[in-house]
Amino acid sequence: MVRLLGAQDRLLSTIETQYPGVSLHVRGNEITLAGEPGQVRAARVLIEELIELVKQGQDLDAIEVRSSARILEDGSGRPSELLGQSILTSRGKTIRPKTLGQKEYVDAVDENTIVFGIGPAGTGKTYLAMAKAVQALQRKEVERIILTRPAVEAGERLGFLPGTLTDKIDPYLRPLYDALNEMMDPELVPKLLAAGTVEVAPLAYMRGRTLNNAFIVLDEAQNTTPEQMKMFLTRLGFGSKMIVTGDITQVDLPVGASGLRLVTRVLDGIDDIHFARLTSDDVVRHSLVGRIVDAYSEYDQVKQAERFERSQAQEFASRAERRGAAPRDRTQRRGKSS
């Protein structure tokens, strides 16, 4: 029961939030549900699915509860089957998709050569991509892992950094090192890096290379230019897989278009290339992150609508001005001819 509802029954309120017409009471190993019959039946199915997830060894939190409820409401299948897939186990921690969107993203990686994971912060784009890369290496499906990202500051200039070239680019690549150390033995990571089995490098170092038998992850791809994106994608060699992750709402490029935003139009519909689009429903950080993402999305939509209305009004005014100027021009021409 503790594994099902958490310490101090902290997940009980999450279930009650999903079904406001149901009251839950826990005594010992028994859960009593009362309330509106339809919601009681739905809550019972949810709890039964959560029990199955616990039997599979999952440690539940509010994310799994909300995701399971959403899957049951959509009729997409059984949460215990969709969310029970284990990607990687490291130091007693199992990495698996926590939402239906993440499950579809992970399945797309297995079925396609190039996958684009596009979504807001906290949806697990990079984390799951790293897990699939480590899994492929452990299964000997690839010979090496190559992790890269563009070296672009997030909205502020840091100036010249001290040290060697490695010291200068290390801050930009630190999130990738952190994920590696979490998914692999920290003592093993330096050896793999020294042997070239795992390579972490800035995107600028990719030009001129052909990457065979490798699992390649490009992170923060929204900060690539169209030319950089084309250069990276054409590095693909035989026996390799690519995952490109990014959030097109957080572009830090000082000028120019985002290569990630453009590539969604250029490569859409090509076989063996998949675009996985994650949403605020797939956020696995604090629940506030999802609401922040939704708030900014709503704000952007309002601003886009206002810009469209202004452009339409300006176009209407210019047309009216042209129509008003035409008769005067004809009158002036008649006066000159007479």
Side-chain angles (χ1 to χ4, degrees), residues 151 158-173:
L158 301 179
F160 293 101
L161 298 177
T164 64
L165 182 60
T166 301
D167 296 330
K168 293 176 186 296
I169 64 176
D170 187 71
Y172 300 102
L173 306 176

Side-chain angles (χ1 to χ4, degrees), residues 98-114:
K98 292 177 176 288
T99 68
L100 185 59
Q102 289 187 352
K103 175 67 165 58
E104 293 172 351
Y105 173 43
V106 169
D107 289 344
V109 174
D110 293 331
E111 298 166 2
N112 298 272
T113 299
I114 301 178

Side-chain angles (χ1 to χ4, degrees), residues 26-157:
V26 179
R27 178 170 295 180
N29 283 336
E30 292 185 355
I31 302 177
T32 303
L33 295 83
E36 195 274 321
Q39 289 202 12
V40 167
R41 286 193 295 270
R44 174 174 178 167
V45 174
L46 172 62
I47 292 174
E48 290 173 346
E49 288 296 315
L50 295 177
I51 291 173
E52 289 299 318
L53 289 173
V54 169
K55 289 180 179 178
Q56 295 172 13
Q58 286 213 41
D59 294 323
L60 300 181
D61 56 28
I63 298 297
E64 277 86 358
V65 175
R66 289 194 293 266
S67 297
S68 298
R70 193 175 299 116
I71 291 171
L72 292 172
E73 290 171 6
D74 295 342
S76 305
R78 295 187 59 189
S80 57
E81 296 176 355
L82 295 176
L83 304 182
Q85 174 188 355
S86 174
I87 301 174
L88 195 65
T89 301
S90 174
R91 291 181 286 176
K93 179 181 179 181
T94 301
I95 300 173
R96 52 167 55 93
K98 292 177 176 288
T99 68
L100 185 59
Q102 289 187 352
K103 175 67 165 58
E104 293 172 351
Y105 173 43
V106 169
D107 289 344
V109 174
D110 293 331
E111 298 166 2
N112 298 272
T113 299
I114 301 178
V115 174
F116 291 84
I118 303 173
T123 51
K125 308 180 297 296
T126 304
Y127 195 74
L128 292 175
M130 297 283 287
K132 292 298 292 182
V134 174
Q135 180 193 54
L137 183 66
Q138 291 181 347
R139 292 178 174 179
K140 301 188 182 303
E141 296 172 359
V142 296
E143 296 176 358
R144 54 182 174 156
I145 297 174
I146 298 176
L147 310 173
T148 183
R149 64 187 327 203
V152 178
E153 293 106 338
E156 56 182 324
R157 307 297 297 177

Side-chain angles (χ1 to χ4, degrees), residues 286-307:
H286 195 286
S287 59
L288 274 177
V289 175
R291 282 179 270 174
I292 290 171
V293 169
D294 286 336
Y296 271 98
S297 298
E298 184 178 349
Y299 175 80
D300 291 339
Q301 289 175 359
V302 171
K303 287 299 181 182
Q304 288 177 0
E306 290 176 353
R307 285 195 294 268

